[in-house]
Amino acid sequence: MMKHKFSVLLISFLPLSGISFGQSSNEYFSETKEDLNPSLVLWYDQPAQDWTEALPVGNGRLGGMVFGGTAREKIQFNEETLWSGQPHDYAHERAWEVLDELRELLWDGKQKQAHKLGNERFMSQPFGQLCYQPFGNVVLEFPDHENASEYMRKLDLENAVASVTYKSGGITYNREIIASSPDQAIIIQLGSSKKNALSFSIGMNSPHKDYDVNIENQVIIIKGKANNYPEELGRDGYPYPESKLIFEARIKVVTDGGEIIKQDEKINIKNATGATLQLVAATSFVNYKDISGDPSSRCEDYLDQLVDKSYDDLKKDHIEDYQRLFNRVSLDLGYSEISLRTTNERLNTFKDDEDASLVSLLFQYGRYLLIASSREGTQPANLQGIWNDRMAPPWDSKYTININTEMNYWPAEITNLAELTDPLIRMVEELSVTGQNVAKEHYNLDGWVAHHNTDIWRGAAPINNANHGIWVSGGAWLCQHLWWHYQFTGDKVYLKDRAYPVMKEASRFFLNYLVQDPGHPEWLVSGPSNSPEIGGLVMAPTMDHQIIRNLFANTIEAAEILGIDREFVEVLKEKRSRIAPNLIGQYGQLQEWLEDKDDPENEHRHVSHLWGLHPGNEIHPITTPDLAEACKVTLSQRGDGGTGWSRAWKINFWARLLDGDHAFLLLKNLMVPSRTTETNMRDMGGLYANLFDSHPPFQIDGNFGATSGVTEMLLQSHLRDYNGDFYLDILPALPSTLSTGSISGLKGRGGFEVSISWDENKLASVEILSLNGNNLNLRFKDRLISTETVAGARYTYSENDFK
Ligand code: FUC
């Protein structure tokens, strides 16, 4: 494994003594690159040309992409509820009439006929779901600023502030952009180093067909109606529900000196010293069944709340709110001189220099992006978080739940952002309602089920094509996140009132859905379903069995904790014990299906049958060494490439296999510049200049998967002892490249906050804060410390304390 090429240049570890990364507004104009913390700032010396170079801000509901132009600044923005369509039930009436026939066809080896019948009789109506939409653009034009020097734009993750500075005509101009959650607005602050030197125009437009722009006093208003679902994306004759959402955005302009002049659809500012632009936006969306909201009154209310607030007040409240979440975890992997280059230069050479601070930056960027795209009360982060500039976005920028949405939330609990799972938990609760009708119409069963995608209308029926759309485990997989939230927080009221009822109904569906396998009558199998998205419709894909086993186990444990549903628990236990087991095939690989038909040459991006290794917990090198070995064989066959999210998942797999260096190899394979912006399944994943994950094209899951993967190298907590107490596995997969560092504030299952520092692969210290007073099992390199704990107490150990 490569060593730090620059280890001699290592300057220091955080906190960097004597260097302050804080910045007050008067220091602003003199900032240099040495002032920027390389683990917490993305920066560039050129404006963004492409959207994937622009820098994202977000408050969970509103998202903005800041291009940072000098003569022309563009901030492309989104509001998370602006989707095409309207409330819609996608279930296909009486689809269940062909269910038995589908199973028979598959058992008879007639997959083609099964696909045909599935597509004719079993699919969602329409065949696809609706798409997320861009909202608009704020355009600022600065006459005579074409020739700029000393240009810098950056995104500061410590404060969640995007900014631009440059000189033009001897004057320094600066801009800051924040997306405030407490104030529900995107704020653009503009300043200049000379009094009355700031002149520019402000305009706003939208990519939707049906909208208009008006100016009232100092406010630009756009009102419109969402476009219909793009026809070029429609795939069948069944009409896509017409778009019904209306929207409105307003920009209020407040200046420091100068004049405000209205001109056509723009506002011109002349000779000001500074200006604050307050952008608010809303749609008529209330919830997945109700779109009767009034965007005008919503925008008015948002602006009213800002009336007495200065930019400094807004910024202060924003930073306080953001840091309450962000500051819970800090990661220090050291840095060197090369870390002081622009972010795009650092990305270009990471493969060779392995600059550890770029790893910390990517890790924290994932946390930043989650805070920016998923807050209590908002929609969950979709395939692009909340950032989308396309009317026909890739995969509709919706929620693909056969890996992508779940990956978005992998870092939430473990990196101490538990409350950010609220939107996901609510989405699952809503799916448990819409999924009931799908269970009825498609399977004639009680309980609920969701297939491989959902949208803002909470579609749960199988979409796109029978060969991959008929996949029954989407809802069951999502239930794992409901259970994790309990495991990390210990919140029994939440377990009883929210998680358990949803998990129980999901389990109820599978109890009667599983069927006996004709070849092995002792086994229960899933089907018709598929191993995402490979091999077509089948009976008995391994992944389904792992997910259903996990769902049943969690439901059983939840019922036992709550002391309810004894008989139901007995039935679950009995059925669970009969679900087809994991099998090892002819090459020593973990079988993807019940038949031993894996192709060792297949490098498909999905490696779904390793779900039991991660994010599941039924395969572990210590408890099931043979299966863990088989996972290694499978991973070696699939290779170390793939789309962005596929590489990110493999970081997590290798970390779970306790192989830190291989996990780091996958991280390196993700941390390469993406070679294309277009949709291409081939080996072209990586990162864009703004460190957005590239599928390609941009898809945010890989960012979150990377943050989770780095965490899994440093702390794991899914293994349990005979009493059910968790092991906190300290540095279980530490890559040799990251041999020195520290992390604070990670969360472990059972209610523990964990801080670790290590030096040249030796554990310097581990500090545990016990939140719930549970028993503590610490594991470091196969050595153990076990102790009872008191809630609120801290426990500190070093390597020598482990026996
Ligand atoms: C699944 C994946 C694709 C893509 C899409 C959004 O279908 O197979 O690679 O990530 O979701």
Side-chain angles (χ1 to χ4, degrees):
M1 192 66 200
M2 273 179 266
K3 295 199 89 182
H4 271 293
K5 288 216 173 92
F6 49 82
S7 52
V8 280
L9 295 174
L10 210 62
I11 295 174
S12 121
F13 289 102
L14 291 178
L16 291 155
S17 44
I19 302 178
S20 157
F21 290 116
Q23 158 201 305
S24 72
S25 34
N26 30 2
E27 279 165 22
Y28 195 87
F29 295 115
S30 59
E31 196 172 52
T32 66
K33 63 179 187 175
E34 283 77 21
D35 297 327
L36 308 178
N37 184 335
S39 301
L40 290 171
V41 179
L42 288 80
W43 75 276
Y44 308 83
D45 56 13
Q46 300 278 333
Q49 301 296 328
D50 289 334
W51 190 82
T52 48
E53 293 169 37
L55 293 170
V57 294
N59 67 6
R61 189 177 68 84
L62 300 172
M65 292 293 283
V66 183
F67 281 69
T70 56
R72 185 175 188 272
E73 167 67 291
K74 178 163 116 174
I75 298 167
Q76 183 271 322
F77 68 95
N78 290 94
E79 199 275 358
E80 62 171 1
T81 63
L82 185 51
W83 283 63
S84 56
Q86 55 176 296
H88 180 74
D89 181 358
Y90 294 86
H92 191 140
E93 237 176 84
R94 300 181 80 81
W96 61 267
E97 286 173 352
V98 298
L99 181 62
D100 286 342
E101 197 179 337
L102 285 172
R103 287 179 174 144
E104 291 301 331
L105 285 170
L106 292 170
W107 273 320
D108 287 349
K110 297 178 178 158
Q111 192 192 51
K112 258 200 192 139
Q113 286 98 313
H115 286 163
K116 186 163 178 286
L117 181 63
N119 282 329
E120 281 164 7
R121 299 282 303 276
F122 205 78
M123 303 304 286
S124 164
Q125 289 179 327
F127 250 52
Q129 294 167 352
L130 280 307
C131 62
Y132 182 46
Q133 296 280 269
F135 201 118
N137 304 293
V138 175
V139 178
L140 311 179
E141 283 173 311
F142 301 82
D144 306 326
H145 285 214
E146 285 83 8
N147 294 323
S149 60
E150 296 175 45
Y151 179 91
M152 179 190 276
R153 70 185 168 100
K154 64 186 167 61
L155 176 64
D156 166 12
L157 306 186
E158 206 171 353
N159 298 303
V161 177
S163 58
V164 185
T165 47
Y166 57 89
K167 267 195 178 153
S168 176
I171 298 166
T172 305
Y173 293 93
N174 78 306
R175 230 171 277 156
E176 287 191 347
I177 298 93
I178 59 175
S180 160
S181 170
D183 286 301
Q184 287 300 309
I186 292 179
I187 312 288
I188 306 160
Q189 169 73 11
L190 300 102
S192 55
S193 61
K194 193 173 155 211
K195 218 167 178 264
N196 303 118
L198 185 65
S199 297
F200 67 105
S201 71
I202 308 157
M204 190 159 45
N205 60 49
S206 170
H208 294 268
K209 281 201 299 266
D210 188 0
Y211 82 96
D212 55 51
V213 186
N214 282 296
I215 298 182
E216 287 172 19
N217 302 320
Q218 293 171 216
V219 183
I220 307 176
I221 303 174
I222 60 173
K223 286 180 203 264
K225 183 178 153 298
N227 273 12
N228 280 335
Y229 188 77
E231 265 167 33
E232 68 267 30
L233 295 182
R235 277 174 289 250
D236 64 281
Y238 190 96
Y240 274 67
E242 192 192 325
S243 291
K244 287 276 173 70
L245 282 170
I246 53 170
F247 61 81
E248 181 162 334
R250 300 184 182 194
I251 290 190
K252 184 172 172 186
V253 181
V254 183
T255 56
D256 171 9
E259 281 176 83
I260 300 179
I261 305 155
K262 175 181 155 181
Q263 189 191 25
D264 305 326
E265 294 186 345
K266 287 184 183 169
I267 285 181
N268 287 330
I269 308 291
K270 282 254 167 344
N271 305 329
T273 302
T276 307
L277 315 182
Q278 304 169 338
L279 169 66
V280 298
T283 73
S284 52
F285 181 89
V286 178
N287 60 47
Y288 74 97
K289 293 182 286 198
D290 179 357
I291 53 167
S292 65
D294 176 3
S296 295
S297 66
R298 286 174 171 179
C299 285
E300 202 170 309
D301 290 349
Y302 291 135
L303 280 182
D304 281 351
Q305 284 164 31
L306 304 182
V307 165
D308 295 322
K309 288 186 106 169
S310 68
Y311 176 65
D312 286 346
D313 295 337
L314 292 164
K315 186 176 171 186
K316 186 170 152 287
D317 291 351
H318 160 68
I319 292 177
E320 218 170 85
D321 168 75
Y322 168 78
Q323 289 189 343
R324 180 178 53 84
L325 298 162
F326 185 76
N327 285 358
R328 290 176 190 165
V329 171
S330 68
L331 171 63
D332 174 15
L333 297 170
Y335 77 103
S336 74
E337 271 170 9
I338 57 164
S339 322
L340 303 179
R341 295 170 303 151
T342 60
T343 304
N344 44 317
E345 286 172 294
R346 293 170 73 190
L347 179 63
N348 284 339
T349 61
F350 181 78
K351 214 169 174 322
D352 300 317
D353 59 44
E354 299 180 346
D355 171 9
S357 70
L358 196 64
V359 174
S360 342
L361 183 65
L362 189 69
F363 168 86
Q364 290 291 24
Y365 193 43
R367 297 184 67 244
Y368 167 85
L369 292 171
L370 195 63
I371 299 170
S373 61
S374 185
R375 288 294 195 101
E376 285 168 278
T378 70
Q379 295 295 316
N382 66 40
L383 283 173
Q384 301 187 187
I386 39 172
W387 299 278
N388 166 40
D389 67 332
R390 302 195 195 179
M391 296 301 283
W395 291 283
D396 303 318
S397 191
K398 56 185 183 305
Y399 300 95
T400 305
I401 54 177
N402 67 8
I403 171 63
N404 318 82
T405 303
E406 289 89 348
M407 184 178 279
N408 286 0
Y409 285 88
W410 286 350
E413 304 285 350
I414 56 182
T415 76
N416 215 335
L417 296 170
E419 58 271 70
L420 304 191
T421 60
D422 165 76
L424 184 75
I425 292 169
R426 270 184 303 105
M427 181 171 91
V428 184
E429 289 176 320
E430 292 169 359
L431 279 171
S432 78
V433 178
T434 56
Q436 250 174 55
N437 198 36
V438 177
K440 278 242 135 46
E441 296 293 350
H442 289 248
Y443 300 92
N444 200 19
L445 289 176
D446 291 335
W448 70 279
V449 63
H451 293 78
H452 95 297
N453 265 275
T454 189
D455 60 3
I456 202 166
W457 314 114
R458 303 303 180 239
I463 66 162
N464 294 357
N465 192 316
N467 66 7
H468 67 278
I470 305 179
W471 176 73
V472 285
S473 303
W477 186 344
L478 286 168
C479 282
Q480 186 189 39
H481 290 254
L482 267 51
W483 176 241
W484 281 350
H485 191 66
Y486 168 73
Q487 287 188 313
F488 280 89
T489 61
D491 182 346
K492 285 200 181 129
V493 176
Y494 152 82
L495 182 66
K496 176 168 167 290
D497 295 345
R498 298 188 66 187
Y500 181 71
V502 174
M503 289 160 60
K504 179 181 174 185
E505 290 306 303
S507 297
R508 229 147 69 87
F509 170 83
F510 287 103
L511 275 183
N512 295 315
Y513 162 82
L514 292 167
V515 288
Q516 269 187 335
D517 181 64
H520 310 85
E522 70 281 18
W523 289 345
L524 294 175
V525 295
S526 168
S529 190
N530 70 93
S531 191
E533 304 171 7
I534 168 168
L537 204 54
V538 293
M539 294 302 294
T542 301
M543 179 197 229
D544 279 2
H545 301 151
Q546 296 174 340
I547 293 178
I548 299 165
R549 256 197 301 275
N550 185 271
L551 171 71
F552 283 7
N554 301 342
T555 309
I556 292 166
E557 192 175 341
E560 287 176 347
I561 290 165
L562 298 171
I564 53 177
D565 289 337
R566 284 220 176 98
E567 280 171 33
F568 181 66
V569 163
E570 287 317 308
V571 182
L572 281 179
K573 282 183 177 168
E574 193 274 326
K575 290 248 169 155
R576 184 175 187 275
S577 68
R578 286 163 54 204
I579 297 175
N582 292 308
L583 298 172
I584 298 175
Q586 55 184 313
Y587 309 102
Q589 87 285 8
L590 195 76
Q591 283 180 211
E592 187 154 5
W593 300 276
L594 210 53
E595 301 109 84
D596 187 1
K597 59 178 184 185
D598 300 82
D599 172 2
E601 307 275 299
N602 188 344
E603 296 192 340
H604 197 278
R605 62 195 181 284
H606 286 268
V607 199
S608 303
H609 46 313
L610 266 53
W611 192 95
L613 175 68
H614 182 276
N617 58 352
E618 66 179 34
I619 301 177
H620 191 289
I622 293 173
T623 50
T624 59
D626 294 347
L627 292 174
E629 249 344 280
C631 289
K632 276 191 195 162
V633 174
T634 294
L635 281 175
S636 309
Q637 292 175 341
R638 284 289 220 267
D640 296 325
T643 55
W645 64 256
S646 174
R647 295 172 195 213
W649 197 351
K650 289 167 190 159
I651 304 169
N652 291 270
F653 283 141
W654 283 107
R656 285 280 175 101
L657 288 168
L658 310 178
D659 187 337
D661 284 345
H662 209 130
F664 192 78
L665 175 71
L666 265 303
L667 181 63
K668 273 180 73 173
N669 287 354
L670 180 66
M671 292 173 71
V672 294
S674 173
R675 282 185 281 141
T676 175
T677 54
E678 289 318 306
T679 310
N680 190 327
M681 298 284 198
R682 293 202 54 84
D683 205 18
M684 286 186 169
L687 301 176
Y688 292 107
N690 64 2
L691 302 189
F692 266 176
D693 165 65
S694 159
H695 177 287
F698 163 52
Q699 206 168 279
I700 205 159
D701 39 23
N703 288 104
F704 296 130
T707 298
S708 161
V710 171
T711 311
E712 293 279 338
M713 294 171 183
L714 306 178
L715 177 70
Q716 296 178 14
S717 67
H718 57 291
L719 191 66
R720 303 172 82 168
D721 67 14
Y722 290 113
N723 301 318
D725 294 324
F726 296 97
Y727 288 97
L728 299 186
D729 236 311
I730 309 302
L731 307 179
L734 187 66
S736 33
T737 318
L738 307 180
S739 60
T740 301
S742 66
I743 188 151
S744 66
L746 292 180
K747 285 289 250 340
R749 288 176 182 78
F752 298 102
E753 222 172 86
V754 182
S755 301
I756 312 166
S757 65
W758 63 100
D759 192 3
E760 295 296 331
N761 288 313
K762 281 189 74 83
L763 180 62
S765 78
V766 49
E767 185 188 280
I768 313 288
L769 167 63
S770 169
L771 299 169
N772 302 336
N774 287 331
N775 292 339
L776 173 66
N777 287 320
L778 276 184
R779 241 176 58 90
F780 175 70
K781 292 188 178 161
D782 292 334
R783 283 143 51 195
L784 284 181
I785 292 176
S786 293
T787 177
E788 292 179 350
T789 72
V790 177
R794 288 176 195 274
Y795 302 82
T796 308
Y797 306 97
S798 65
E799 180 152 350
N800 293 338
D801 297 318
F802 285 82
K803 305 275 180 298

